[in-house]
């Protein structure tokens, strides 16, 4: 991959040149897509380009390139859509078209444009005004343009003689820029009172919460000089109002994009000066965030305070006669642009409106059977967030969330509002959030004192809930859409990673690493070997590596979950209960109370409590089902008192289906590889026998990854007393079919030779056996011989060379000669007339036998050949048989840089003599 980043500037002509016929997304009711003329005046502020090779891994690399580029530009809102579209288009280029893919990212003021070009332009150029048929979504190809039409604001296809370029434009979502307000002209005596000179303190806070700027007005108001306060945390000076139930402190307020309100600043004299503040979160050109705080004395708050809109009837007869939006009256302006911010603002305003101690808001699930806690104030939010309660609970109308309800005293109706159990709240008013008659949520305000609320407060709260219900539902749907797109991108990457390996252990590790911490805090994978086996704990992962051993030890002591094939997540309480009991026992032992009464468990007493905290939240189990069989379980867990969101569980279920298939594929591959290797090893000789008075060495290399046996074979075996047979052959072709003939030939040679037949008779009968195989028969070249060591130190060889490369004899003086004559190969004609030749090896002589994979080793147009092999053999005078075979193999491997494409076998036999120093 090659990349380049170009500084911003005008883009006169982005993309390849040539005739351009881009297409916009067709809107309902249009007969054909509008042909857009590309704008040439847009300002390009930055570019990033990359080129990817036509290999499968380039798709994942392209996704990473686009994600990193857009996140670096601050376009996080459109990253997921861009990654999905780029993935499809690059797949079309490098997989289907089989060409390089050139990716160009262009940043403008409004959004981002991405172009993906391939070098396969031989497609039909769409005609202007003609209807565009996308095809079925179930087709393997063509989905890239369908996704462009669905997700992009604009898109098109451009053709040149050498390239096809698909581009799409993603616009940034509009963000509210604030609200303007104006008031009427007033007499001077009605204007707000201020000092002779209004001073506005400007304080800038860095990302760590420390003061980095302090202007002169700040020195005048509070008495501190800039040198005295620079570098100090603002919290050292701020007197923050800790109102019961208020969840936002000064540190949290400084992290918000905007904040406005009252607090106090301690001056140099120790007194607290009440101020009214307006905070704005900004970032500099380098991307470093900070918060700018404008502060005035509290009685001069009108200088900074944003006026709230009021109904027209209360505005003293405003000239425009328009009423303000009740939603903005309740929420304030500007309204938060994210769901969590909107819900948090809602519960805080609802609590303040009814002067309550706490408030909460729950959103309904799709089937409206459960409510999920999404925001609260004055309650332990860390424990309650994403917890679920049933819509119908408890006796009577007070147990329903579908209508307003007032509870004078929760102590009299236990369980009516499960969320408030154990919180100390006594009275509560709850109202439903409804959109078009459908329950979408519930809003409640509670107080510690009983009897605080009546039907009047319920009506006020219901009026507010009706104003915000539609906005909340719209924000919720927007969040679901963002989650859906993020989930799609996540699953695309997960599928790509899981499909990239057939190793079982690596698949297990990938499953866990994709789950933690994206979906869960920790996970465990159980595997099941077969239907009669118990689940086995195979892998454990936690986002904190120091807790992995503790969780693994805990899970190994508890019974595994039942392998239920029912799809979906089910809650598993055993780990949390076991961890709680273990922590309780450890705490009592640490306090010397073993066997005594239970006391308060202290925190931080060691690994046991750490493990209990890690697995103390919700734990769910998802079955791993592949080919209609449960092959394992994926267990996901949260820390103490945390719960899973439904969207996360649905995403985990999708992931578990993909992971189960990948894990089962890895299992099948491992099993078949083991079977294949066992069968291949059965075709190899059990070993080379020790022959008194002879040195024998064999080197064998089968071509192809994972192959141990191919079309080449060898054998050395005893025939009778002081007589040994040897053979080296080559079956036509490679792979399993050739290996089958290899097995036939090797075993037949042993049987026939031990029957006392001569070499020609052995090969003639083997020839008949090969021809009897019919269509499965293959040509076979074979060098067969019998050796007999002699008492004078020499060795007698009787050799038959049936179409095989001739054996070479190396004498002590370094001369090399052929030791046999060529004869017809086996497996071609029925009536063979073969003869054997006798060769006597003197002490120090070597007989070298090879297959044609050695002599036909190629590097371009060059081939090693018989002469090249003989030249190498001449350098082996005085070497042992093992050294001769090793030198020949080393020379063959060095002759060419590519991996061998043919099987190779080397058999070296030497009569011991004087060795070369």
């Amino acid at each position: 991959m090659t990349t380049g980043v170009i500084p911003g500037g005008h883009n006169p002509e982005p993309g390849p040149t040539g005739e351009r016929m881009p297409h916009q997304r067709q809107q309902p009711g249009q007969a054909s897509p509008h042909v857009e003329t590309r704008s040439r005046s847009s300002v390009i502020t930055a570019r990033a380009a990359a080129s990817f090779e036509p290999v499968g891994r380039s798709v994942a690399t392209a996704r990473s390139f686009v994600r990193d580029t857009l996140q670096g530009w601050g376009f996080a809102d459109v990253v997921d859509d861009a990654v999905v579209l780029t993935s499809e288009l690059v797949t079309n280029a490098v997989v289907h078209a089989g060409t390089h893919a050139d990716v160009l990212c262009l940043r403008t003021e409004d959004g981002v444009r991405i172009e993906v070009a391939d070098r396969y332009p031989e497609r039909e150029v769409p005609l202007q005004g003609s209807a565009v048929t996308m095809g079925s979504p179930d087709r393997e190809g063509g989905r890239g343009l369908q996704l462009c039409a669905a997700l992009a604001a604009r898109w098109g296809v451009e053709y040149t003689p050498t390239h096809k370029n698909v581009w799409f434009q993603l616009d940034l979502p509009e963000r509210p820029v604030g609200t303007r307000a104006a008031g009427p002209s007033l007499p001077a005596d009605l204007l707000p009172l201020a000092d002779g000179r209004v001073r506005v303190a400007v304080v800038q806070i860095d990302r760590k919460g420390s003061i980095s700027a302090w202007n002169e007005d700040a020195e005048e108001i509070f008495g501190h000089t800039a040198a005295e306060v620079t570098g100090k945390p603002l919290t050292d000076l701020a007197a923050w109002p800790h109102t019961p139930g208020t969840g936002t402190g000064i540190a949290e307020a400084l992290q918000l994009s905007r904040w406005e309100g009252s607090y106090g600043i301690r001056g140099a004299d120790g007194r607290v000066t009440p101020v009214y503040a307006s905070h704005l979160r900004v970032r500099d050109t380098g991307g470093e965030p900070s918060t700018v705080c404008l502060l005035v004395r509290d009685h001069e708050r009108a200088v900074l305070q944003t006026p709230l809109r009021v109904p027209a009837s209360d505005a003293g007869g405003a000239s425009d006669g328009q009423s303000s939006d009740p939603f903005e009256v309740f929420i304030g302006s500007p309204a938060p642009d994210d769901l969590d911010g909107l819900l948090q603002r809602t519960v805080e305003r609802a609590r303040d409106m009814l002067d309550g101690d706490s408030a909460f808001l729950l959103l309904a699930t799709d089937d409206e059977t459960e409510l999920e806690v999404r925001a609260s104030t004055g309650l332990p939010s860390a424990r309650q967030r994403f917890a679920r309660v049933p819509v119908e609970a408890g006796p009577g109308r007070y147990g329903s969330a579908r209508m307003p309800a007032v509870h004078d005293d929760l102590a009299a109706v236990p369980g009516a509002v499960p969320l408030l159990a154990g919180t100390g709240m006594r009275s509560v008013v709850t109202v439903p959030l409804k959109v078009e008659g459908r329950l979408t949520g519930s809003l409640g305000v509670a107080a510690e004192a009983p009897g605080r609320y009546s039907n009047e407060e319920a009506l006020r709260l219901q009026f507010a809930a009706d104003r915000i219900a539609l906005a909340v539902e719209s924000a919720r749907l927007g969040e679901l859409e963002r989650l859906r797109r993020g989930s799609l991108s996540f699953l695309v990457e997960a599928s790509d990673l899981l499909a990239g390996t057939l190793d079982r252990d690596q698949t297990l590790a990938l499953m866990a690493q994709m789950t933690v911490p994206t979906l869960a805090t920790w996970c465990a994978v159980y595997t099941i070997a077969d239907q009669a086996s118990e689940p086995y704990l195979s892998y454990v992962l936690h986002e904190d590596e120091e807790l992995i051993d503790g969780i693994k030890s805990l899970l190994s002591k508890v019974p595994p979950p039942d392998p239920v094939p029912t799809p979906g997540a089910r809650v598993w309480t055993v780990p949390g209960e076991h961890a709680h009991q273990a922590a309780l026992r450890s705490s009592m032992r640490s306090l010397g109370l073993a066997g005594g009464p239970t006391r308060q468990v202290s925190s931080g007493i060691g690994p046991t409590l750490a493990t209990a905290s890690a697995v103390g939240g919700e734990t769910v189990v998802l079955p791993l089902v592949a080919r209609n069989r449960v092959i394992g379980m994926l267990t996901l867990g949260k820390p103490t008192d945390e719960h899973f969101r439904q969207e996360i569980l649905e995403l985990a279920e999708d992931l578990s289906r993909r992971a189960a298939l990948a894990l089962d594929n890895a299992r099948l591959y491992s099993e078949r590889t083991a079977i294949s290797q066992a069968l291949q090893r059965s075709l190899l000789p059990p070993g080379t026998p020790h022959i008194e008075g002879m040195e024998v060495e064999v080197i064998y290399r089968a071509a192809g990854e994972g192959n141990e046996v191919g079309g080449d074979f060898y054998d050395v075996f005893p025939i009778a007393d002081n007589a040994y047979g040897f053979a080296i052959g080559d079956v036509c072709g490679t792979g399993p079919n050739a290996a089958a003939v290899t097995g036939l030939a090797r075993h037949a040679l042993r049987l026939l030779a031990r029957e006392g037949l001569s070499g020609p008779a052995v090969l003639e009968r083997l020839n008949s056996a090969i021809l009897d195989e019919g269509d499965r028969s293959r040509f076979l070249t074979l060098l067969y011989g019998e050796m007999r060591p002699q008492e004078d130190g020499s060795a007698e060889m009787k050799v038959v060379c049936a179409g095989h490369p001739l054996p070479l004899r190396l004498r002590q003086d370094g001369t090399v000669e052929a030791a046999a004559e060529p004869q017809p190969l086996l497996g071609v004609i029925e009536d063979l007339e073969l003869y054997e030749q006798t060769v006597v090896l003197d002490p120090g002589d070597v007989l070298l036998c090879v297959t044609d994979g050695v002599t036909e080793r190629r590097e371009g147009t060059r081939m090693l050949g018989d002469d090249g092999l003989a030249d190498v053999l001449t350098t082996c005078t005085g070497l042992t048989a093992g050294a001769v075979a090793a030198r020949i193999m080393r020379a063959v491997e060095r002759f060419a840089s590519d991996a061998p494409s043919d099987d190779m076998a080397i058999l070296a036999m030497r009569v011991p003599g004087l060795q070369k120093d």
Side-chain angles (χ1 to χ4, degrees):
M1 182 189 78
T2 57
T3 62
V5 179
I6 310 168
H10 293 276
N11 179 35
E13 201 66 40
T17 59
E19 183 180 3
R20 292 180 172 138
M21 305 182 70
H23 295 270
Q24 272 191 327
R25 179 170 23 174
Q26 183 173 352
Q27 300 297 331
Q30 292 179 332
S32 62
H34 173 68
V35 179
E36 177 187 348
T37 302
R38 187 185 201 164
S39 174
R40 301 172 185 247
S41 60
S42 59
V43 176
I44 304 301
T45 58
R47 303 184 192 181
S51 180
F52 302 92
E53 298 178 353
V55 293
R57 63 177 180 271
S58 294
V59 179
T61 309
R63 286 198 297 265
S64 299
F65 164 71
V66 171
R67 174 179 287 106
D68 294 343
T69 299
L70 267 58
Q71 288 179 343
W73 288 349
F75 285 180
D77 294 330
V78 298
V79 163
D80 291 330
D81 287 351
V83 167
V84 170
L85 294 178
T86 302
S87 178
E88 288 293 331
L89 298 180
V90 173
T91 299
N92 289 341
V94 303
V95 176
H96 301 303
T99 76
H100 281 71
D102 300 324
V103 180
L104 175 64
C105 301
L106 303 174
R107 182 181 69 183
T108 67
E109 298 94 335
D110 302 324
V112 63
R113 176 191 179 103
I114 297 179
E115 301 179 359
V116 179
D118 63 45
R119 302 168 191 181
Y120 184 70
E122 295 89 354
R123 302 290 178 89
E124 180 181 357
V125 177
L127 299 177
Q128 179 172 350
S130 62
V132 177
T133 301
M134 290 295 182
S136 169
D138 297 327
R139 291 178 53 196
E140 178 66 23
R143 292 179 296 188
L145 299 185
Q146 286 183 308
L147 285 176
C148 287
L151 301 180
R154 292 180 296 281
W155 65 279
V157 185
E158 302 167 349
Y159 294 85
T160 72
T162 59
H163 288 76
K164 174 170 68 70
N165 187 42
V166 181
W167 63 269
F168 58 89
Q169 176 89 22
L170 297 174
D171 295 337
L172 290 178
E174 295 184 0
R175 295 182 174 87
V177 296
T179 304
R180 296 182 179 179
S185 300
L186 295 176
D189 57 344
L190 296 180
L191 295 176
L193 182 65
D195 294 340
R197 175 180 174 228
V198 176
R199 298 185 180 273
V200 180
V202 180
V203 182
Q204 191 160 4
I205 311 300
D206 62 20
R207 68 185 308 165
K208 297 180 181 179
S210 300
I211 298 172
S212 59
W214 183 271
N215 71 343
E216 293 180 358
D217 282 357
E219 294 183 9
E220 182 65 26
I221 296 175
F222 308 118
H224 300 288
T225 65
E228 292 173 345
V229 297
T230 300
K232 290 185 177 181
L234 181 62
T235 54
D236 290 352
L237 302 179
W240 192 261
H242 292 284
T243 305
T246 301
T248 304
I250 181 64
E252 289 81 4
L254 292 174
Q255 299 298 319
L256 301 177
S257 59
R258 296 187 65 91
W259 186 89
E260 186 174 321
S262 301
Y263 54 90
I265 297 291
R266 293 182 181 86
D269 56 1
R271 296 181 179 180
V272 175
T273 301
V275 297
Y276 191 85
S278 176
H279 297 178
L280 177 65
R281 189 76 165 165
V282 298
R283 62 185 174 93
D284 59 20
T285 55
E288 183 71 12
S290 61
T291 303
V292 177
C293 307
L294 305 181
L295 306 102
V296 297
R297 293 183 175 91
D298 190 68
H299 64 275
E300 297 169 341
R301 65 168 55 200
V303 175
L304 299 179
Q305 187 173 21
T306 302
L308 293 177
R309 294 185 179 183
V310 294
S313 57
D314 298 336
S319 59
D320 57 8
Q322 296 180 354
S323 62
S324 61
D325 186 357
F327 169 76
E328 290 189 356
V329 172
F330 180 72
I331 293 297
S333 179
D337 58 0
D338 64 298
L339 178 62
D340 289 336
L342 177 61
L343 299 183
Q344 192 62 35
R345 179 82 64 85
T346 298
V347 295
E348 291 174 356
R349 293 298 172 88
R351 179 205 61 200
D352 295 341
M353 183 179 71
L354 297 187
D355 193 23
D357 296 315
S358 65
F360 53 89
L361 192 148
L362 305 90
L363 295 183
T365 56
D366 293 339
D367 57 4
E368 299 181 18
T369 60
E370 289 184 306
L371 295 170
E372 186 178 62
V373 181
R374 291 301 302 270
S376 64
T377 181
L379 297 174
S381 57
R383 177 171 66 88
Q384 303 292 349
R385 185 168 171 79
F386 300 124
R388 291 193 170 195
V389 294
V391 170
E392 304 292 341
R397 64 185 295 271
Y398 295 116
S400 175
R402 301 183 185 276
M403 61 184 69
V406 177
H407 301 261
D408 291 331
D409 192 350
L410 290 177
V413 191
V417 183
L419 177 64
L420 300 180
T423 61
M425 300 298 160
R426 297 286 298 276
S427 56
V428 61
V429 53
T430 61
V431 296
L433 300 177
K434 293 185 177 182
V435 175
E436 297 180 350
R438 181 173 60 87
L439 179 68
T440 60
S442 177
L443 176 64
V445 178
E448 296 178 353
R452 284 281 301 275
Y453 303 113
S454 63
N455 289 339
E456 181 181 354
E457 282 79 9
L459 291 176
R460 291 178 59 196
L461 190 61
Q462 184 66 71
F463 180 81
D466 293 341
R467 303 286 79 74
I468 66 168
L470 184 59
V472 169
E473 180 66 4
S474 176
R476 187 183 74 87
L477 293 177
E479 181 190 64
L480 289 177
E481 180 65 14
R482 289 190 296 273
L483 287 174
R484 183 191 66 81
R485 295 184 176 184
S487 300
L488 179 60
S489 177
F490 172 78
L491 291 175
V492 166
E493 290 198 24
S495 299
D496 190 28
L497 290 172
L498 291 171
T501 179
L502 288 173
D503 182 82
R504 175 183 177 277
D505 293 337
Q506 188 174 2
T507 302
L508 290 172
L510 285 174
M511 289 171 57
Q513 291 167 6
M514 287 184 294
T515 302
V516 177
T518 306
L519 305 181
T521 306
W522 64 272
C523 82
V525 182
Y526 290 85
T527 55
I528 303 174
D530 52 61
Q531 295 181 352
S533 302
E534 291 293 326
Y536 173 75
L537 181 62
S538 299
Y539 202 91
V540 176
L541 185 65
H542 191 283
E543 60 183 9
D544 185 354
E545 294 183 357
E546 295 182 355
L547 297 176
I548 294 177
D549 291 339
I551 297 177
K552 187 181 299 183
S553 175
L554 170 69
L555 295 179
S556 64
K557 297 176 182 177
V558 302
D562 295 330
V564 179
T566 306
R570 53 192 174 93
V571 177
W572 187 33
T573 60
V574 174
E577 294 172 353
H578 189 87
H580 174 74
Q581 294 297 328
L584 184 61
R585 289 191 297 269
S586 297
S587 300
M588 294 179 66
R589 284 195 299 268
S590 68
L591 298 173
L593 300 176
T598 302
R599 296 189 180 181
Q600 181 68 31
V601 179
S602 61
S603 60
I605 65 169
T608 303
L609 286 184
T611 303
S613 177
V615 303
E618 189 174 48
T619 302
V620 297
V621 178
L622 297 104
L624 298 175
V625 181
R627 298 176 176 89
N628 298 321
R629 186 175 73 87
V630 180
I631 63 171
M633 286 88 70
L634 177 63
T635 303
L636 308 180
K638 287 282 191 179
T640 302
D641 294 327
E642 289 195 19
H643 299 266
F644 286 98
R645 298 183 60 181
Q646 184 62 28
E647 295 82 3
I648 296 297
L649 294 179
E650 292 172 356
L651 181 57
E653 187 176 356
D654 285 339
L655 176 63
S656 68
R657 286 195 291 267
R658 289 165 169 79
L661 187 59
L663 186 61
D664 200 46
N665 288 339
R667 177 188 63 83
L668 292 174
Y669 177 78
S670 299
E671 291 178 355
R672 293 180 182 180
T673 300
I675 293 173
S676 174
Q677 290 174 346
L679 292 175
Q680 290 183 65
R681 284 192 291 268
S682 70
L683 299 177
L684 293 173
T688 303
H690 174 72
I691 303 175
E692 188 71 28
M694 290 292 297
E695 296 176 1
V696 179
E697 182 66 28
V698 178
I699 296 180
Y700 183 80
R701 297 285 189 274
E705 183 180 357
N707 290 333
E708 296 186 29
V709 177
D712 290 5
F713 68 96
Y714 69 93
D715 201 359
V716 180
F717 55 92
I719 298 176
D721 292 341
N722 203 37
Y724 297 86
F726 64 90
I728 183 168
D730 184 3
V731 179
C732 176
T734 60
N737 293 328
V741 180
T742 296
L744 170 65
R746 193 178 69 80
H747 292 295
L749 284 175
R750 286 198 172 209
L751 291 173
L752 294 172
R754 288 171 178 172
E755 290 295 324
L757 300 176
S758 64
V762 169
L763 267 61
E764 289 168 3
R765 284 166 173 74
L766 175 60
N767 179 64
S768 299
I770 294 175
L771 291 175
D772 289 343
E773 291 292 307
D775 294 338
R776 296 183 297 176
S777 66
R778 293 195 171 222
F779 304 150
L780 171 63
T781 68
L782 181 64
L783 173 64
Y784 173 75
E786 297 178 2
M787 74 174 82
R788 288 180 172 83
Q790 303 298 311
E791 293 181 357
D792 61 358
S794 63
E796 181 185 71
M797 304 283 191
K798 293 183 178 181
V799 181
V800 181
C801 186
H804 198 78
L806 300 179
L808 299 179
R809 175 180 181 176
L810 172 64
R811 295 181 181 274
Q812 277 280 55
D813 59 3
T815 59
V816 175
E817 60 184 5
E821 296 177 353
Q823 301 183 59
L825 74 166
L826 307 182
V828 179
I829 59 178
E830 293 184 2
D831 297 327
L832 283 180
E833 294 184 3
L834 303 174
Y835 58 91
E836 64 183 7
Q837 297 171 270
T838 301
V839 180
V840 177
L841 298 183
D842 296 326
D845 288 357
V846 175
L847 185 68
L848 177 67
C849 309
V850 300
T851 57
D852 59 6
V854 174
T855 57
E856 295 180 1
R857 179 75 162 143
R858 294 180 180 274
E859 174 68 18
T861 58
R862 298 187 307 117
M863 186 172 71
L864 180 63
D866 296 334
D867 293 339
L869 178 62
D871 291 341
V872 177
L873 185 58
T874 58
T875 66
C876 298
T877 305
L879 298 181
T880 64
V884 171
R887 178 169 292 187
I888 298 297
M889 179 56 72
R890 187 161 56 248
V892 172
E893 292 175 340
R894 291 177 177 177
F895 186 80
S897 58
D898 296 336
S901 59
D902 195 4
D903 305 327
M904 294 186 295
I906 300 173
L907 172 60
M909 295 171 286
R910 179 178 180 272
V911 180
L914 295 176
Q915 296 186 11
K916 186 178 180 179
D917 293 336

